[in-house]
Amino acid sequence: MHGPLQRRHVLTLLGTAAAALAARPALAVVSMQAHAPQEAFTGPGANPYWNGVGPYVTYPQKLPLQRLTDRPIQLETPRQYFREAFTPNEAFFVRYHLPVTPNAVDLAAWRLSLSGAFEHPVEFSLRQLMHEFRAVSVAAVNQCSGNSRSRFQPRVPGGQWGNGAMGNAMWTGVRLHDVLARAGLRREATWIQFEGLDRGVGADDKASGRFMKSLPANDPSLDRAVIAFLMNGEPLPMLNGFPVRMVVPGKFATYWTKHLSFIRALTHEDDNFWMKPAYRIPDTPGGDTTPEAMASGKVGSVPIGTVDMPVRSFIVDPDGSAPLIQGMTSLIRGVAFSGHGAVVKVEVSTDDGRSWARARLGENHGPYSFRTYSHPWTPSAAGRFTLAVRATDKAGNVQTDHGVWNPGGYLWNRIERQDVTVLSA
Ligand SMILES: Nc1nc2c(c(=O)[nH]1)N[C@H]1C(S)=C(S)[C@@H](COP(=O)(O)O)O[C@H]1N2
Ligand SMILES: [Mo]
């Protein structure tokens, strides 16, 4: 049952709870959402709210964003900022793992240091990165592995993101390989490790207070990786990694190290906490499994960096907040992307996925960018309609109605839906 009454009921519940929570610790927001009525998230006609629950909070250099937690800082981008291919810096989501994050970086003292299996370990100032290397730009989607985790059935622990733990930007910086080459990467280097400036506190910090991520030295994604110092043509906002961050087009954001300051060439596989057990997916097709299979203890795991981001598409408008009018043309629009290369097709359904029409694609900003789409729709009848959108990427991957399940709450890419009401006229 997913009629308008139930939808209203859910919204009222959430609204009341959100108001009550405004003055309470952010952690409560997560547990409150976990108590939202389960039916709201299931079934083909389901119409979950698009974002996390909030509250809206303003941080430095940011518009009001939906706060999931404050220590570490986790802020979700509201739906309306996805109308354009590029997400504004001041609306771009924020995710940290550690509670102590930099408020300022002294560029006179800051260096990017390369150590480990290099011929000549070296340090670069921001000035050197900007002037001693050729600058490149790439449009790429930064998406948290746990984006849309709140859709998982059964629910899984972790930040209960709606769809707003993602954003697309034009990243400008220097090629990782150019920087590695300057230090002379040695043959025996098998993994490259990245670390920023944020730190943990307290004895119970399971990760020794340092967020470190590694990719295999020969991973193809590193051929396109950029150490970025501009985001949409501006210095990076502090919360998005000032002064430089890793950009790994096609890979989940967990490898996009912010405040990148340490690059280490390792001669062994990295098994620090953030590589194992954190951020791992089942070694099954599509990273898909079941709670029962997990309980059997027989499911192996691999780092989430083993895979590229699955193809996804989103309905931004209409958002169901206002009725449409019979005989009046509305624009169904949103964004799509894939970590496997360009989105080649976006299809829209106005009958809950029974029939599909090809949408018009917006400007092509490159294979790792958001691609906007739009589809004019003139409802010929009044009533309740369920819209759906699905994308196909260059590799032939197409979204389905199957909701992935794994204990980390990663890799969600089920077909998105939106219920709308059409008034007669
Ligand atoms: N230094 C640092 N970099 C980091 C992280 C972090 O906790 N510390 N989190 C990663 C993860 S999991 C995500 S989803 C993205 C979020 O990027 P954003 O905050 O710029 O949106 O940063 C990545 N880079
Ligand atoms: Mo993430």
Side-chain angles (χ1 to χ4, degrees), residues 112 129 133-140 169-180 194 215 219-231 236 240-241 243-251 255-260 263 368:
L112 171 61
L129 290 175
F133 296 88
R134 194 168 70 88
V136 295
S137 292
V138 61
M170 182 63 79
W171 308 95
T172 302
V174 298
R175 287 188 181 283
L176 173 73
H177 275 323
D178 289 354
V179 173
L180 297 183
F194 308 98
L215 283 165
D219 195 289
S221 70
L222 293 185
D223 296 346
R224 50 182 188 262
V226 167
I227 299 173
F229 46 74
L230 291 178
M231 175 174 175
L236 306 185
N240 298 111
V244 305
R245 82 174 302 165
M246 281 294 292
V247 167
V248 193
K251 292 288 182 208
Y255 294 96
W256 296 41
T257 307
K258 302 192 280 189
H259 321 287
L260 176 69
I263 297 180
Y368 299 102

Side-chain angles (χ1 to χ4, degrees), residues 51 93 110 166 180 193 213 304 346 360 364 371 381 396 403:
N51 277 113
F93 87 104
W110 179 84
M166 62 173 187
L180 297 183
Q193 186 187 63
K213 298 296 301 193
I304 195 165
V346 174
R360 192 174 62 80
N364 182 1
R371 186 94 190 243

Side-chain angles (χ1 to χ4, degrees), residues 140-183:
V141 175
N142 179 40
Q143 182 188 217
C144 182
S145 323
N147 193 25
S148 315
R149 182 180 285 126
S150 61
R151 275 64 170 145
F152 270 64
Q153 286 293 335
R155 305 301 291 271
V156 292
Q160 295 301 302
W161 299 106
N163 287 340
M166 62 173 187
N168 184 49
M170 182 63 79
W171 308 95
T172 302
V174 298
R175 287 188 181 283
L176 173 73
H177 275 323
D178 289 354
V179 173
L180 297 183
R182 274 285 203 97

Side-chain angles (χ1 to χ4, degrees), residues 383-422:
R384 255 334 243 180
F385 293 82
T386 298
L387 313 181
V389 62
R390 73 178 180 200
T392 304
D393 67 22
K394 201 175 170 187
N397 302 298
V398 56
Q399 292 178 264
T400 71
D401 273 326
H402 175 69
V404 68
W405 195 91
N406 52 63
Y410 301 138
L411 304 168
W412 187 260
N413 81 326
R414 195 178 80 180
I415 289 174
E416 293 281 325
R417 284 183 162 72
Q418 174 64 55
D419 288 351
V420 292
T421 301
V422 176

Side-chain angles (χ1 to χ4, degrees), residues 357-380:
R358 211 163 164 148
R360 192 174 62 80
L361 296 180
E363 196 179 331
N364 182 1
H365 298 285
Y368 299 102
S369 171
F370 277 156
R371 186 94 190 243
T372 57
Y373 72 86
S374 61
H375 182 73
W377 179 47
T378 313
S380 55

Side-chain angles (χ1 to χ4, degrees), residues 2-57:
H2 302 284
L5 228 183
Q6 190 197 358
R7 165 99 175 124
R8 209 157 36 233
H9 174 67
V10 172
L11 285 179
T12 312
L13 262 184
L14 295 174
T16 313
L21 277 161
R24 291 178 47 200
L27 249 182
V29 173
V30 173
S31 57
M32 183 276 291
Q33 191 178 23
H35 294 138
Q38 295 288 309
E39 319 86 271
F41 302 96
T42 59
N47 193 18
Y49 43 79
W50 210 78
N51 277 113
V53 183
Y56 282 81
V57 180

